[in-house]
Amino acid sequence: MSLDLRRIEYLSGHPRLEDCPPDQGVEVAFAGRSNVGKSSLINALCERRGIARTSSEPGRTRLLHFFRIDEERRLVDLPGYGFARVSRNERAGWQKMVEDYLTRRQSLIRLMLIMDVRHPLRDSDRLLLQWCAAQKLPVDLLLNKADKFSHSQALQTQRAVQKECETQTNLVSARTKMGLEHVRQRLCDCLNNSNT
Ligand SMILES: Nc1nc2c(ncn2[C@@H]2O[C@H](COP(=O)(O)OP(=O)(O)O)[C@@H](O)[C@H]2O)c(=O)[nH]1
Ligand SMILES: [Mg+2]
């Protein structure tokens, strides 16, 4: 079945795993530090400006946001991590929500870990990669804001990250749309080939 991302609809946002939409079908989640462009990428991939809220103010997205592609398929925009000015309580709350989601959500089949190409593999990214490895959850790495680098600088970073993590790593730009067709194809492949 083909996957038309342009038909995506916003479903709902939730502070706790318990309140999320039924854990049926399949979903791919977008994770990463605040401000790396998770929401911008979802908008650009789906060619739906503003379906995922974007903000230049770090840390504004504090909910698990669900987007419905069709009856059986969803995308999820996870709350960003690594924002500097939050209290310890807030950080613990974030950690519990994301950890619950990553460890208990049956329909989660792949994580797209978004990083800023200028600052890849920060401690929080490495922690998330470790969680995913422990859960045997497949991950794609997306180095966003590739427009901020020269082509050769971007390629060099991609190769270094891919080599270190031994994980599929792609350069993308929500701004220039670079690399998005490839990511659409990846999403299509994994959302279609899951055995549901
Ligand atoms: N130059 C550039 N800026 C981007 C790109 N993607 C997102 N941004 C900007 O980065 C900021 C954070 O984006 P947002 O999608 O809200 O990040 P999120 O916190 O990860 O969801 C916004 O000001 C975006 O316009 C990109 O590919 N290139
Ligand atoms: Mg966001």
Side-chain angles (χ1 to χ4, degrees):
M1 199 203 301
S2 73
L3 187 77
D4 188 357
L5 289 173
R6 284 169 304 187
R7 297 179 61 178
I8 200 160
E9 287 166 32
Y10 180 67
L11 266 181
S12 48
H14 305 275
R16 299 183 317 148
L17 181 66
E18 288 72 19
D19 310 324
C20 290
D23 196 359
Q24 291 158 1
V26 286
E27 61 199 29
V28 172
F30 287 65
R33 292 165 56 84
S34 289
N35 223 34
V36 293
K38 293 176 295 299
S39 302
S40 302
L41 270 177
I42 291 177
N43 289 337
L45 284 166
C46 303
E47 300 174 272
R48 291 283 299 277
R49 189 194 299 235
I51 188 144
R53 285 215 318 196
T54 59
S55 164
S56 50
E57 183 190 326
R60 209 169 116 191
T61 322
R62 300 282 170 81
L63 302 173
L64 300 157
H65 289 289
F66 288 79
F67 301 86
R68 173 191 191 279
I69 301 168
D70 59 33
E71 209 52 55
E72 292 294 321
R73 297 168 178 81
R74 294 175 298 276
L75 299 182
V76 182
D77 190 4
L78 295 183
Y81 49 80
F83 28 86
R85 284 169 302 176
V86 302
S87 67
R88 191 177 298 177
N89 266 352
E90 255 183 292
R91 195 164 311 177
W94 172 86
Q95 192 154 334
K96 171 147 184 10
M97 168 164 57
V98 174
E99 204 173 320
D100 277 355
Y101 174 78
L102 292 178
T103 53
R104 292 170 35 202
R105 188 79 175 167
Q106 302 280 331
S107 41
L108 176 64
I109 55 168
R110 180 173 292 270
L111 196 76
M112 296 283 167
L113 174 51
I114 322 301
M115 297 181 284
D116 185 322
V117 71
R118 297 167 296 178
H119 316 284
L121 296 176
R122 306 292 283 262
D123 287 350
S124 42
D125 300 317
R126 291 176 193 275
L127 185 64
L128 196 56
L129 279 171
Q130 284 168 14
W131 276 353
C132 293
Q135 304 298 319
K136 300 198 167 37
L137 177 67
V139 181
D140 270 27
L141 300 179
L142 300 181
L143 299 175
N144 190 35
K145 309 198 186 185
D147 57 282
K148 293 282 193 185
F149 262 177
S150 72
H151 190 57
S152 63
Q153 258 179 319
L155 271 181
Q156 204 175 355
T157 307
Q158 180 208 8
R159 290 199 189 109
V161 170
Q162 176 147 324
K163 188 164 176 221
E164 181 178 338
C165 299
E166 297 177 333
T167 300
Q168 163 100 13
T169 305
N170 289 106
L171 290 168
V172 291
S173 166
R175 183 158 296 175
T176 66
K177 320 290 182 230
M178 168 187 179
L180 296 190
E181 201 44 52
H182 180 82
V183 179
R184 286 189 196 104
Q185 197 55 55
R186 292 283 294 174
L187 287 172
C188 195
D189 289 348
C190 66
L191 286 167
N192 280 339
N193 294 337
S194 58
N195 44 5
T196 51

